[in-house]
Amino acid sequence: MVGYSDILRALGGSRTEGFLRSIEGKTPIFVCTIATTETAKVAGISAAGKNPEFTDYTPPADVEYLYYGRCRCIDGVPVTPEGIPTPALITRAAVHLSDLPVLVVDGGSRIKPQVPLLDLGGQPGMDIRAGQAVENVNIIFERAITLGRNLAKASDYLVLAESIPGGTTTALSVMLAMGLDAEGRVSSSMPDNPHRLKLSIALQAMGAAQLHKGDLKERPLEAVAKVGDPVQASVAGLAVGAASEVPILLAGGTQMASILAIIDKTDRSLTDSLAIGTTRWVIHDRQSDLAALVRQVGDIPIMAADLNFGASRHSGLRAYESGVVKEGVGAGGAVISSIMKTNGKVTRTSLQEQIEREYERIVDRR
Amino acid sequence: MVGYSDILRALGGSRTEGFLRSIEGKTPIFVCTIATTETAKVAGISAAGKNPEFTDYTPPADVEYLYYGRCRCIDGVPVTPEGIPTPALITRAAVHLSDLPVLVVDGGSRIKPQVPLLDLGGQPGMDIRAGQAVENVNIIFERAITLGRNLAKASDYLVLAESIPGGTTTALSVMLAMGLDAEGRVSSSMPDNPHRLKLSIALQAMGAAQLHKGDLKERPLEAVAKVGDPVQASVAGLAVGAASEVPILLAGGTQMASILAIIDKTDRSLTDSLAIGTTRWVIHDRQSDLAALVRQVGDIPIMAADLNFGASRHSGLRAYESGVVKEGVGAGGAVISSIMKTNGKVTRTSLQEQIEREYERIVDRR
């Protein structure tokens, strides 16, 4: 496939080109699934919120911003403890430039966003350290399948995004329970990835659930129920319901590797329809290894939006180049879809300009 | 336009043919909005449930049946007091034969269906006789607009259906408050339309709200808030959000005339994109007059599915020919969309056969 040089190819070779061909000029539905967990409130594991208690507000605020250009449940927009704004900024710019339809799914959030909200019957995730994480996991999964099946009938393909603080820690736990060598490989919204803390939480969770690594290799939903989070059950279910009909772009970082593993163990044949779309900050991150995680599941394409904020007028955006945030709210996948829907008319340059404008509008507001 | 003789044209002339052309071969999203009200529990106004208290269960049961082919919140399927089954039977047959995508919107229901559910922040409607009917009407309307705008980006057109017991009484009240000559013109799910009871409830509602006929001609949302129901705010909002981008088929009977009036007073230009799709039982009903209601708003196409159950093997279906049920859960609009999506491959005959099979499957289950 000629061109699309603003999309980096990280894994998948000719399958990646095939996936891009299958979505070229097509309109997806961009589905952002949100949830919150008590796990995210463990000090030091998430930067998605200016302090741990604030993580309950980050996902609803993200999707309010995505729909309306401003948050309603909070003032301003979600920021890291250092004040770096949410990656929803990137997502909104991409969605706006290519006029993508957006739907928001609630996997289980404590604070409900003031938007039209697709409820799957879930609850906020618990603290995995108790060895019990997600209630109603079968209900969430089954309703997500029903929804995915219907969304597939309505669209060319689906982009499945997430906003859940602490999601890489629950991803690590689920991948370990399923026997993947995930230690030290999940990403972080912080420049210094707290791998030891995450692993200790994951091991504590597995201990409380009386699990050894790989015990739930063939029982992905049990892994989610015990040591995972509600977004995993929701996004995996959406993909399982839709992937026999349309391509699926899993829009996120290393969390999507855990979701890939869940889908793979539900129905291996579905993985042929999947790809991961993320950001350059994830695939070039030296403190995590998305490709090494994905390869353990299969030869799934990984693509990345080649954004670079190094020349930004704003320190809050330049900070992305030092490893803050990296990904979230489907930022990378939204950019890829935006480029592909418009056959390349939307470019890295036009996106970065739009992101600068968005940043200025938001900072002016605050 | 040649053919499509299984779709009756009741109003609109060449505009009707134009509308049909615009949806020929196209895939809509079928959106069923549900809600319940205390008004529906007034003895004698609704047959949508085997007794008045049961009306809380009818809409959720309808959409569960639509998704899964069986209800979850009740045994069997919703029936009238005489045991005649829900029109969702027709809707499901149509949706199934043409593989239409379905989404369910909750305008405000007391019992939540066990399906993926799009929440707009509404509550069940109150008893309009107190002169206060719908809380949060502006929130519901605004979120519905946001949702409608996004669904329009994802689809060729929208089919907007409803399931709300007692909906013709709240439709009557809103139309009177907006100054339409609606007396004696709304339809009923019963063979003997209780016009006097409905009018007395509507007048009591207007009295309690200190309204005279036409007082809220230019304030449709205030009419809904005071004497209407949550479905009106939801469906009107969906249409307002979507109608500048795609055609909208309002799938229902005389309730849709009240929604048409609300849309018209929100933005007259949007009515060019609208049509009403209903059933033969509604347009041939001598105890109601959909066309007379619609004409007061404008020259909006009315089409009807030309179903006839007179030759059915089952008395429960033949009863439709004596004026029971008539319409609901978007039955007529689903049939029209099913025919148009398949360029006429789905026909009255294939639909009626599928409905017979569905009926047998359901009766066997009970």
Side-chain angles (χ1 to χ4, degrees), chain B residues 115-184:
Chain B
V115 303
L117 190 63
L118 265 157
D119 183 4
L120 299 179
Q123 298 293 327
M126 293 172 276
D127 186 335
I128 59 171
R129 291 176 300 184
Q132 272 210 314
V134 181
E135 292 177 286
N136 297 344
V137 73
N138 290 307
I139 288 175
I140 298 170
F141 189 66
E142 187 215 26
R143 289 192 198 166
I145 290 174
T146 297
L147 179 59
R149 192 173 290 142
N150 281 277
L151 295 180
K153 291 179 193 176
S155 60
D156 296 330
Y157 72 106
L158 298 185
V159 182
L160 301 180
E162 56 69 37
S163 174
I164 177 167
T168 56
T169 302
T170 40
L172 171 63
S173 311
V174 163
M175 287 190 282
L176 292 176
M178 292 182 69
L180 274 72
D181 294 325
E183 296 90 340

Side-chain angles (χ1 to χ4, degrees), chain A residues 27 29 67-68 72 99-103 114-120 142-143 146-147 150-151 153-154, chain B residues 27 29 67-68 72 99-103 114-120 142-143 146-147 150-151 153-154:
Chain A
T27 302
I29 301 178
Y67 265 136
Y68 306 123
R72 295 189 172 184
D99 209 26
L100 296 181
V102 173
L103 290 178
Q114 297 170 35
V115 303
L117 190 63
L118 265 156
D119 183 5
L120 299 179
E142 188 215 26
R143 290 193 196 164
T146 297
L147 178 60
N150 280 278
L151 295 180
K153 292 179 192 176
Chain B
T27 302
I29 300 177
Y67 266 136
Y68 306 124
R72 296 189 172 184
D99 209 27
L100 296 181
V102 173
L103 291 178
Q114 296 171 36
V115 303
L117 190 63
L118 265 157
D119 183 4
L120 299 179
E142 187 215 26
R143 289 192 198 166
T146 297
L147 179 59
N150 281 277
L151 295 180
K153 291 179 193 176

Side-chain angles (χ1 to χ4, degrees), chain B residues 38-118:
Chain B
E38 292 306 301
T39 312
K41 297 177 187 169
V42 178
I45 72 160
S46 175
K50 60 189 171 200
N51 63 56
E53 288 307 315
F54 192 85
T55 58
D56 278 346
Y57 288 87
T58 299
D62 275 340
V63 295
E64 288 172 353
Y65 168 72
L66 197 54
Y67 266 136
Y68 306 124
R70 63 181 190 81
C71 303
R72 296 189 172 184
C73 65
I74 63 167
D75 291 328
V77 298
V79 295
T80 68
E82 303 81 26
I84 311 305
T86 169
L89 199 70
I90 301 169
T91 313
R92 181 169 161 88
V95 158
H96 174 77
L97 284 183
S98 60
D99 209 27
L100 296 181
V102 173
L103 291 178
V104 177
V105 170
D106 187 18
S109 56
R110 194 166 304 284
I111 307 295
K112 299 300 176 193
Q114 296 171 36
V115 303
L117 190 63
L118 265 157

Side-chain angles (χ1 to χ4, degrees), chain A residues 36-42 53 56 110 124-129:
Chain A
T36 48
T37 67
E38 291 306 302
T39 312
K41 297 175 187 170
V42 178
E53 289 307 314
D56 278 346
R110 196 166 302 285
M126 293 173 277
D127 186 334
I128 59 172
R129 291 176 300 183

